[in-house]
Amino acid sequence: MNYLLINEQLDTLKAEIKTTRKEHLTRLVEQCRLYEDEVLSKEHPHTSITYMGMAAANLSLAYLLTEQEHYLTEAKRWIFTAVDYDVWGYGFLVDVDLSASWMLFGLGLSYDWLKDHLSDEERQKFLNKLILQGNKIFDYGQENLGHCWSTNYWQNHNWINYSGLLTTAYAIRPEHSGAQVWIDEIQDNFDKVFDYLPEDGSNYEGTGYWRFAMNFFLVAADLIRKDGGTDHFKTGFMENTFDYRLYQSAPNWEENINFADVHDKRSSHSICAYYKIASEYNNGQAQWLGEMVRTKFLFREAYQSKIFPGILPEAFLELIWYNPEIEQQSPENLPLTKYFPDLGLVVMRSSWDTDATHLSFKSSPAGGHKQWEMSWQLDKENDWKTRSLTHYHVDFNQFVLVHNGASLVIDEGYNRTSKAEIHNLITVDGTGCVGEKIWDEGDLSDPVLFDLNCKGIHNVWRDVPEEAIAKVEAFSNEDGYAYVVGESSRMYYPEMQLTRNARHIINSECGYFILLDELASELEHTYTWRIHSEKYANKVADDQFEIVNGEGALNVFTVFPEARDTKIDETLVEEIMTPQRPDDIRRISLKTLLIENPQKSQNTTFLNVFQPKDALLSDKENDISIQSIKGKNCIGVEIRSEKFTETFLYSSENSIEYGDIHAQTKWLSILKDKAGKLVKTTSYDGV
C-alpha cells in the first residue's frame, strides 16, 4: 500500500519499531495513552481545535503499526466527534483559517490511513465532511485573493492553511474529482511561495512561528514531490533554513533567541522537523539537535511552551521522519559568526559551549528584503495587499545578548502593539517607528485597529511607506574581528527629519562588544538610548552599570555622550495571546536602562562597551577598565584587560587624529598586547 507521508514504507516501519524506532514507538504509544482519558465535547469548544486533528493522526498511525483494535476505536472517537461539529474554528475566520486547516491535515491523514478499516457508512460520512470543509476554506481563499492569507505568501497562515487542504486533497482525490482543482491551485501557490522566500533560510516571524509552520512546509514539499510536482527541497530557503534555526538557538540549546512573535523561550523546537531536514540533506547537526531535544528537553518544552498544540502531538511525524542512517554531528566545527542577509540578521558566538556568549543583531526592511521588495511589486501590479507583517516587530537595529545561560539584553518576545520603546532601540523625542502612530489610540472593537485579514493583530506596518526601511549597511567577519552596521533613519517619523541612525557593533573577540550609535537630524532632539533586561541594572559608578542574572552578568560602560542623563525603570507589556483565548494574557516586566542627552541637539553619539561575565566567579582576571578618549574631530575609548589594550576611535567627519594615529575613516580599532605590540586592527570607512 502507498500511504501519504509513509509512502511504501509501512512494512519497514513495522519492522523497525522493534529495533531502531523502538523509542519512537514508545513516544507514540505514550501520546496515544493521553488521548484515552480526554473528555470530548459534543459541542465545539470555545477555543482552537488544532489538537484534535493531531490526536486522530497519532491514533491512526498507532493502529496501522500495531493493528490493535483499541487504537482504531479511539481514533474513530476523535474523528467523528470532529466530523459532527457544524464548524471548525472558534471566534473569527471560522472554517477558513488555522483550526480548519490543522483539522484537514490530521483528519486527511487519518482518512488516507484508515479508510479501508471503516464501514461504508463511516467512510462516506467522513468523506463528505472533508469535502465540505475543504470547499469552505478553498472557496474563501479564492474569493479573497489579494486580501487574505491565500496571497500572504510570506506568512504562516498561507503555508499551514494550504498544506492542510493539500493533505486532504491527496487523501480524497480518488473519490472526489474536485480535489484536483485544490491541488492545482495549491501547487501553484507553493511554487510562488518557495520562489519568494529568502534564500538564506531566515524567517521574519521568529523561531516560534518557524517551528509552528515548518512541518507544514515539509509536508507540502513531500506531497508535491511525490505527486511529480516541483521539488521544493532543492530551493535555497529549504536548504538553508535549519542554519537559521540553529543559530537562533541559545547556547544552552534548550532555549531560543526570541526576536519577533516568540511567546517564550521554549516554543521553537520541533523534533520531527529536525529529523526530516536531517534525512533530506544528510544533515548531521539537525539529527543531533533532534535527538538532544527528544532525550533532554521534550517535556519541559511541552509544559512551558505557549504555542498551541505544542510539541507532544508531533509523535507520529517523529516516528515517520526519523532516519536511523543519519549520523549525529555537533555544530562545533561550524563558524561562530553567521550572517543572514535577507533578514539582516547577524549572530556572534564566543564558542559552541553551553556557557557561551551569544549576540544576535537584526536590521532589515519589515519582513526582510525579499518580502518587502516583492510584495510592493505584486501589490502594485494586482491591486493586492500581500504583506501580512503582524508578527514582525518594531525591532530594526535590535540586539539580544545571552551569556552563561543568562538573558542579559532581551527582546520582549510578543506584543500586539509593537513599539520601539519596548525594544533595545533609540527613540527620538519619545517617538519610534513611523507606523506606531496608527495604533496610538483605540481598542479591539475599532474595525480600523482590528483587521480580520491580519488575524486581529495590530499591524504596525500596514500603512508604512515603501521607502521606510532599515538595512545592514556593512558586515565583516575577518582577521579576528566581526562587526555589523545597521542604518534605520528612514524608519522614524519623517517630521523628525533624521538623516542618520546607525548602530555599529564591533567584536574584537576579547570578551566584550563595542556599541556605537550615530544620531543626526536637521532638527534638535532628545535621543533616548535604552536596553531591556530581566533584572534591574545596578549603578556601579558614574560610567558603569552592572546587570546580574543568575550565573551571568553584564558590565555596561557608558562612555559618550559626556553629559548624559541615566535612568533605571520598568517597562510593562501585557497582551492577550490570541482572540480565540481572550483570557490567556501574557505579561512581562522589562527592566530598562535609559540614557539621554540632557540638552536637545541635532547630532548625538552613544558609545558604550558591553562586557558579559560570570556572576558567581570572584576572579578578576577578565575585568576590563575603560577610559574615554577625545582627539581632533574624534572620540573613542581605550579598553584595557590583563592581556590587551584596544583603542577605538570614531569620527563623524571620517577624519581621525589622535596622537600618532591619522586616518581617513569613520572608525578604527587597534589591538595591542601587554608589551605594546600590534596584534590586529580593523576600520570602517562608511558609505
Side-chain angles (χ1 to χ4, degrees), residues 500-571:
R500 184 78 171 158
N501 188 348
R503 170 160 286 173
H504 309 245
I505 298 181
I506 300 95
N507 177 14
S508 58
E509 300 181 358
C510 292
Y512 52 80
F513 301 92
I514 299 171
L515 269 76
L516 169 69
D517 290 287
E518 302 176 80
L519 284 303
S521 172
E522 300 295 331
L523 304 175
E524 292 186 339
H525 300 293
T526 297
Y527 298 104
T528 305
W529 179 101
R530 64 173 55 74
I531 59 169
H532 302 287
S533 188
E534 292 181 343
K535 306 300 178 184
Y536 286 109
N538 300 306
K539 188 172 183 178
V540 177
D542 287 343
D543 62 352
Q544 182 182 352
F545 293 84
E546 182 183 54
I547 298 169
V548 180
N549 188 6
E551 297 180 76
L554 179 68
N555 282 327
V556 180
F557 296 96
T558 58
V559 187
F560 284 96
E562 289 182 289
R564 53 184 175 266
D565 291 334
T566 60
K567 182 181 180 182
I568 298 168
D569 206 349
E570 181 180 32
T571 304

Side-chain angles (χ1 to χ4, degrees), residues 191-404:
D191 282 346
K192 294 185 176 73
V193 165
F194 283 104
D195 184 42
Y196 295 167
L197 286 171
E199 287 77 9
D200 64 11
S202 62
N203 186 329
Y204 74 95
E205 293 184 309
T207 58
Y209 279 98
W210 182 94
R211 67 90 58 225
F212 189 59
M214 184 48 57
N215 291 324
F216 291 91
F217 261 146
L218 296 167
V219 165
D222 190 290
L223 295 177
I224 291 170
R225 180 177 61 185
K226 181 68 176 178
D227 194 42
T230 306
D231 187 354
H232 296 300
F233 288 104
K234 294 181 179 179
T235 59
F237 175 82
M238 292 292 272
E239 290 174 348
N240 295 314
T241 195
F242 178 73
D243 284 352
Y244 163 77
R245 180 61 190 86
L246 183 74
Y247 278 90
Q248 289 296 272
S249 295
N252 64 11
W253 298 111
E254 189 172 356
E255 298 177 310
N256 56 55
I257 304 301
N258 61 335
F259 283 130
D261 270 354
V262 182
H263 314 73
D264 56 90
K265 296 177 184 176
R266 289 186 174 87
S267 284
S268 299
H269 282 308
S270 175
I271 299 166
C272 57
Y274 300 152
Y275 283 166
K276 182 63 171 174
I277 291 168
S279 184
E280 289 292 334
Y281 302 106
N282 192 26
N283 188 321
Q285 282 95 19
Q287 190 85 338
W288 173 85
L289 188 55
E291 287 296 88
M292 180 182 291
V293 176
R294 182 179 68 85
T295 58
K296 294 183 178 181
F297 308 146
L298 174 63
F299 291 103
R300 192 169 183 183
E301 171 87 9
Y303 75 75
Q304 288 195 350
S305 170
K306 294 184 181 296
I307 289 186
F308 198 65
I311 194 171
L312 290 183
E314 295 175 357
F316 71 98
L317 288 172
E318 292 170 22
L319 192 149
I320 292 171
W321 282 345
Y322 175 66
N323 183 347
E325 296 181 2
I326 305 300
E327 294 185 8
Q328 297 183 54
Q329 185 177 358
S330 80
E332 60 188 356
N333 293 321
L334 295 177
L336 295 174
T337 298
K338 182 77 171 178
Y339 177 37
F340 298 86
D342 188 85
L343 193 57
L345 174 66
V346 175
V347 178
M348 303 179 192
R349 301 178 59 114
S350 62
S351 73
W352 290 105
D353 297 331
T354 56
D355 62 353
T357 301
H358 178 125
L359 184 144
S360 279
F361 169 88
K362 183 160 70 71
S363 185
S364 71
H369 288 273
K370 196 168 184 180
Q371 174 176 185
W372 189 254
E373 294 163 8
M374 293 193 70
S375 63
W376 276 98
Q377 179 182 338
L378 288 170
D379 291 358
K380 291 174 182 177
E381 290 174 352
N382 300 287
D383 193 25
W384 282 358
K385 194 173 186 64
T386 58
R387 286 183 305 286
S388 183
L389 294 166
T390 55
H391 297 305
Y392 191 85
H393 286 199
V394 178
D395 60 1
F396 43 84
N397 286 9
Q398 160 88 336
F399 71 101
V400 173
L401 180 61
V402 178
H403 172 74
N404 205 23

Side-chain angles (χ1 to χ4, degrees), residues 27 50 68 79 137 166 292 467 472 649 682:
R27 251 280 280 145
T50 54
Q68 295 176 19
I79 290 167
I137 197 167
L166 183 67
M292 180 182 291
E467 64 273 11
V472 169
L649 295 165
T682 193

Side-chain angles (χ1 to χ4, degrees), residues 118-178:
L118 303 176
S119 68
D120 290 343
E121 181 180 355
E122 289 172 332
R123 181 170 173 170
Q124 191 61 52
K125 181 179 181 180
F126 195 179
L127 175 63
N128 290 344
K129 181 63 170 177
L130 291 176
I131 293 172
L132 174 66
Q133 295 296 151
N135 277 323
K136 285 182 179 180
I137 197 167
F138 179 78
D139 291 345
Y140 176 85
Q142 292 299 291
E143 291 165 3
N144 293 279
L145 286 173
H147 302 283
C148 81
W149 51 258
S150 58
T151 44
N152 293 154
Y153 298 114
W154 294 271
Q155 213 248 15
N156 73 86
H157 289 247
N158 175 282
W159 315 329
I160 295 172
N161 291 343
Y162 272 145
S163 293
L165 180 57
L166 183 67
T167 304
T168 281
Y170 281 124
I172 68 175
R173 180 167 60 177
E175 298 151 289
H176 178 58
S177 59

Side-chain angles (χ1 to χ4, degrees), residues 379-450:
D379 291 358
K380 291 174 182 177
E381 290 174 352
N382 300 287
D383 193 25
W384 282 358
K385 194 173 186 64
T386 58
R387 286 183 305 286
S388 183
L389 294 166
T390 55
H391 297 305
Y392 191 85
H393 286 199
V394 178
D395 60 1
F396 43 84
N397 286 9
Q398 160 88 336
F399 71 101
V400 173
L401 180 61
V402 178
H403 172 74
N404 205 23
S407 296
L408 299 171
V409 181
I410 66 173
D411 190 290
E412 43 72 75
Y414 182 79
N415 196 347
R416 302 167 74 84
T417 52
S418 183
K419 294 186 177 184
E421 66 187 24
I422 59 172
H423 292 90
N424 306 308
L425 299 179
I426 293 170
T427 52
V428 183
D429 292 339
T431 68
C433 174
V434 62
E436 292 179 21
K437 61 184 178 182
I438 299 170
W439 313 115
D440 280 347
E441 303 293 341
D443 58 31
L444 292 181
S445 64
D446 187 333
V448 175
L449 300 179
F450 193 65

